[in-house]
Amino acid sequence: FSDSILDARIRKMDAASTYGYVYNAQVKQYIDLYANKKRALTSKILGLAKIYFPLFEEQLDRYGMPLELKYLAVIESALNPVAKSPVGAKGLWQFMYNTGKMYDLKVTTLVDDRNDPYKATIAACRHMQDLYCIYHDWSLVLAAYNAGAGNVNKAIRRAGGVMDYWTVQRFLPRETQAYVPAFIAASYVLMHAAEHNL
């Protein structure tokens, strides 16, 4: 699809959401990744979304948050409830041990609530809500979810105190610079899967 078609579709998504969707070259790169290069994974995610998205939407609605934040779990875990990162984050929402404990996720030798879709979803909503109280910008919330509030605060200081993701993006860790474009692209591809023959 041409840039103008992708841009128009993302503008339409933005008009229908309280999340600030934008289209740019970085987002385009990730649309290509999800729609073309990783088609098999995206198709699998579409199937898993039928199981998990109703649960995510119910909790996001309960907490008064944009329902589109459900796509964050796609970036975090590809909707794999037992996903484990090399640094030890676990579950659909990829909670680290200490962050999980802060949000009442029990971790013992026998039980790990980070792998519980229901409990971890509630914890993710509470965590994002807390971050929104600090930043009042959903893209900065996602950046802080990924890199931690300390890294985002440092980036904001380096950007002269501007509380805007696209302004502070270049001051964020490299992985986090790609995080919001990947989120926007995943949102777009899953919402427009049929147009991409997925």
Side-chain angles (χ1 to χ4, degrees), residues 32-132:
D32 182 50
L33 180 74
Y34 290 119
N36 300 315
K37 294 177 183 156
K38 292 195 172 184
R39 287 181 70 79
L41 176 63
T42 305
S43 293
K44 182 180 176 186
I45 289 167
L46 278 165
L48 291 167
K50 291 183 184 345
I51 299 166
Y52 293 114
F53 280 2
L55 163 67
F56 299 167
E57 289 172 354
E58 180 185 354
Q59 294 306 320
L60 288 163
D61 180 57
R62 191 175 137 216
Y63 282 89
M65 297 158 71
L67 300 185
E68 293 80 11
L69 293 174
K70 66 188 176 190
Y71 298 111
L72 179 59
V74 171
I75 305 304
E76 286 292 335
S77 65
L79 300 184
N80 175 359
V82 293
K84 184 177 179 185
S85 79
V87 294
K90 286 188 175 179
L92 286 165
W93 297 96
Q94 290 292 282
F95 274 102
M96 293 295 285
Y97 177 84
N98 286 329
T99 312
K101 294 288 264 189
M102 280 171 50
Y103 291 96
D104 306 318
L105 295 179
K106 191 164 99 178
V107 179
T108 68
T109 310
L110 300 174
V111 174
D112 193 337
D113 285 346
R114 295 176 295 172
N115 292 331
D116 181 309
Y118 183 76
K119 290 177 182 175
T121 299
I122 292 170
C125 288
R126 289 175 55 208
H127 185 34
M128 286 188 281
Q129 199 173 50
D130 288 348
L131 292 170
Y132 189 78

Side-chain angles (χ1 to χ4, degrees), residues 19-38:
Y19 182 87
Y21 283 111
V22 298
Y23 178 70
N24 58 32
Q26 290 174 295
V27 172
K28 183 181 181 177
Q29 246 183 319
Y30 281 96
I31 288 173
D32 182 50
L33 180 74
Y34 290 119
N36 300 315
K37 294 177 183 156
K38 292 195 172 184

Side-chain angles (χ1 to χ4, degrees), residues 127-178:
H127 185 34
M128 286 188 281
Q129 199 173 50
D130 288 348
L131 292 170
Y132 189 78
C133 288
I134 299 168
Y135 300 112
H136 306 286
D137 177 284
W138 288 114
S139 291
L140 286 175
V141 166
L142 297 188
Y145 192 97
N146 177 252
N151 282 318
V152 172
N153 294 342
K154 198 186 306 174
I156 289 168
R157 280 195 302 276
R158 287 182 181 161
V162 179
M163 300 273 276
D164 170 69
Y165 173 82
W166 300 103
T167 305
V168 306
Q169 183 188 32
R170 64 194 173 107
F171 300 108
L172 292 165
R174 182 166 290 151
E175 180 193 330
T176 311
Q177 290 178 23

